[in-house]
Amino acid sequence: MPQPRVLAWGFMPTPARIHVAHALHEVFGEGGRVPDIWDRDLGEDAHLAQALLGLCLRRWGRLQAWVKPKLKDPDRGVPLGTRVVLAMGLAQLAWLPGVSDHAAVNESVDLAANRDLGFLPHKGLVNALLRRAAKDRPALAAELDALPAALDRGPAADRVLLAALGPHGAEAETEALWTRLQQPPRPDFRLLKGDPPEGLAPEAELPGCLCLLEGAPFPRAWLESAGGMVQDRSSQALLAYDWDRPVARILDACAAPGGKTTTLALRHPGAAITALEVHPKRATRLRQTLEQRGVEARVIQADAAEWLEGNDATFDLILLDAPCSGSGTLQKHPEWPWLKHEDQSRLTGLQRRLLAAAAGRLAPGGLMIYAVCSWLPEECGSHREWLAQARPELRPAEVWPAAMGSAQDANKGATAFFRPHPLRWTGEGFQGFAVRRG
Ligand SMILES: C[S@@+](CC[C@H](N)C(=O)[O-])C[C@H]1O[C@@H](n2cnc3c(N)ncnc32)[C@H](O)[C@@H]1O
């Protein structure tokens, strides 16, 4: 198994470890996501905390499977506090050679005694298991690496992998895709103005996209000055559609946090942009972000379906980047397989309602793009089929190069269905389709 960057810390300060333990409790106790800013206050130690959290999330199943047979009564449930603390200790011993035995073992034992995060009666057990494991760290790593990768994912992730590979006839490559998705992702950026800072290199296959070079520092100051923004290459490729008709009015129907609104403004300078967002806090943040980047847009906090149904405005370009399961973000969100997922039928119902409302607002000659960061067919392909029946006047628009679709999607070297091969394309899992009116 590929190793994460070797870290040179000899001792992990407690706040970093406590943050990791909190995040693991949130995921495995509540089925909730790791909060976006979970590591904000950690300063330099954020790197170690990120590496440790990533390892525990990505290898949770095998870490638990390693512990189980070593318990006195393996069939008895083990409290979450014990599982979290052991996973953290073992992950450091196995895969973070820069962390000393002393730090990995003793801090885990201390954490076991923490009322909120550990389980005091198991302090001795944690101590004994970790001390034994620390005696031969390479052997521990080899044992853990030899356990089946499937332990780390569960049925929800299996279904996503098959859905991603199915349109390409590549279902046999599940393990290869899982291996790819287990690598911590490197962020992509988009230049907004001026020159890119050192450490960012243009991505040859996608004009405008910049990638972080190995070992380069994260360009925080550049992002804060609105010189650029973080934007995954899949989003950038989706918005690199080939469309040369005039665009005067744009609707971004689900706009926060505003990455795609920004790109639309760059692509169509002078067009009037309406950006809708249902959640008040996200709408406020969207307004602030667009203002900071100098993007002019009318931001409206509203349910997009309701707003569109009660409004007779039409648009030359509509982007519906719909709320979705996020199943395409497995690489960035390794906790995804363990989350309590929202009711899928409620979600697909909402997507359908938004699509129906948006489709009614496309001006003659206009282009509509529907997209989700999900690989599941019910969040995209099924909606495309429904739309073809419900609105036959909306024709497929082949606006992406053929490589962005599956072999069956391509027509004269271009595709109206966006679903790049998940093993040949390294971006997030995105699906989309484009239709034009007339
Ligand atoms: C996938 S995100 C959009 C990401 C955005 N396009 C970008 O690139 O930065 C979907 C957004 O839709 C919003 N949303 C969910 N339901 C909505 C609705 N009924 N009307 C409008 N926005 C909605 C969510 O709050 C979320 O911010």
Side-chain angles (χ1 to χ4, degrees):
M1 178 171 289
Q3 300 296 303
R5 241 169 4 115
V6 174
L7 300 161
W9 286 271
F11 193 81
M12 184 176 169
T14 299
R17 186 182 297 253
I18 286 177
H19 277 57
V20 172
H22 272 297
L24 292 172
H25 273 270
E26 178 61 28
V27 174
F28 296 105
E30 308 297 325
R33 280 187 179 279
V34 175
D36 279 347
I37 47 165
W38 71 279
D39 55 351
R40 192 175 47 181
D41 311 325
L42 292 178
E44 296 235 313
D45 297 322
H47 292 297
L48 180 56
Q50 285 158 3
L52 180 55
L53 180 62
L55 286 165
C56 290
L57 291 172
R58 292 193 169 91
R59 300 174 191 181
W60 180 258
R62 71 183 69 201
L63 287 163
Q64 303 308 321
W66 186 91
V67 168
K68 204 168 178 199
K70 295 171 182 66
L71 300 173
K72 256 199 217 133
D73 182 357
D75 294 328
R76 213 159 145 201
V78 182
L80 183 60
T82 307
R83 289 189 284 144
V84 162
V85 168
L86 278 173
M88 288 171 61
L90 290 168
Q92 287 168 92
L93 291 172
W95 299 303
L96 296 179
V99 177
S100 70
D101 296 2
H102 173 77
V105 176
N106 290 10
E107 291 240 352
S108 300
V109 173
D110 281 352
L111 204 51
N114 180 304
R115 223 178 18 175
D116 298 326
L117 298 172
F119 182 64
L120 185 58
H122 282 173
K123 194 174 161 185
L125 170 78
V126 169
N127 188 28
L129 276 179
L130 293 183
R131 268 188 207 293
R132 216 185 309 152
K135 286 196 178 129
D136 191 347
R137 293 173 66 165
L140 170 69
E143 279 177 42
L144 284 163
D145 288 346
L147 289 169
L151 287 169
D152 297 325
R153 48 183 198 247
D158 277 333
R159 186 168 167 251
V160 170
L161 297 177
L162 286 175
L165 293 161
H168 305 276
E171 290 92 331
E173 302 198 65
T174 307
E175 293 306 327
L177 179 54
W178 181 248
T179 303
R180 159 165 118 65
L181 298 176
Q182 292 311 290
Q183 308 309 310
R186 279 220 235 141
D188 298 318
F189 303 87
R190 181 159 184 129
L191 187 70
L192 298 179
K193 61 179 186 219
D195 295 321
E198 266 182 43
L200 293 187
E203 186 54 68
E205 57 188 317
L206 190 58
C209 181
L210 302 166
C211 59
L212 193 62
L213 295 172
E214 182 80 46
F218 190 79
R220 209 168 297 282
W222 176 67
L223 294 172
E224 280 165 9
S225 72
M229 64 179 172
V230 176
Q231 190 172 52
D232 185 81
R233 65 189 55 206
S234 293
S235 292
Q236 297 194 43
L238 181 92
L239 293 186
Y241 49 80
D242 182 12
W243 187 249
D244 57 9
R245 296 200 196 170
V247 172
R249 290 150 303 161
I250 298 177
L251 172 71
D252 188 350
C254 292
K260 296 193 187 63
T261 322
T262 306
T263 307
L264 290 170
L266 282 176
R267 278 216 56 179
H268 304 281
I273 302 180
T274 302
L276 306 178
E277 169 57 49
V278 72
H279 290 295
K281 274 195 189 146
R282 290 173 69 80
T284 303
R285 207 177 122 211
L286 170 65
R287 250 181 228 113
Q288 289 163 347
T289 304
L290 295 180
E291 198 173 310
Q292 187 215 11
R293 291 179 185 159
V295 172
E296 279 188 32
R298 184 165 69 124
V299 174
I300 300 171
Q301 188 253 309
D303 174 288
E306 275 175 25
W307 189 85
L308 288 163
E309 282 155 10
N311 206 296
D312 55 10
T314 61
F315 301 89
D316 308 310
L317 178 60
I318 296 179
L319 172 66
L320 174 51
D321 188 17
C324 70
S325 65
S327 71
T329 65
L330 261 174
Q331 189 176 11
K332 191 165 78 186
H333 295 292
E335 73 272 31
W336 193 91
W338 311 106
L339 299 179
K340 260 190 214 138
H341 290 287
E342 194 182 339
D343 174 9
Q344 190 68 15
S345 60
R346 195 203 73 79
L347 203 50
T348 50
L350 171 62
Q351 292 162 350
R352 181 69 58 87
R353 198 164 67 87
L354 290 165
L355 181 60
R361 294 281 148 251
L362 191 59
L367 173 73
M368 178 167 75
I369 294 176
Y370 170 90
V372 277
C373 55
S374 167
W375 272 307
L376 298 175
E378 65 268 31
E379 298 192 66
C380 188
S382 309
H383 295 318
R384 175 70 193 92
E385 282 164 27
W386 168 81
L387 192 68
Q389 298 289 324
R391 291 219 168 240
E393 75 277 16
L394 301 182
R395 311 293 303 155
E398 281 91 7
V399 293
W400 296 291
M404 289 294 121
S406 74
Q408 79 213 38
D409 301 329
N411 179 17
K412 295 187 196 140
T415 177
F417 214 137
F418 185 94
R419 43 180 170 181
H421 194 300
L423 283 167
R424 294 188 201 129
W425 175 257
T426 56
E428 278 181 353
F430 246 89
Q431 292 185 87
F433 60 80
V435 290
R436 63 190 162 77
R437 185 172 183 147

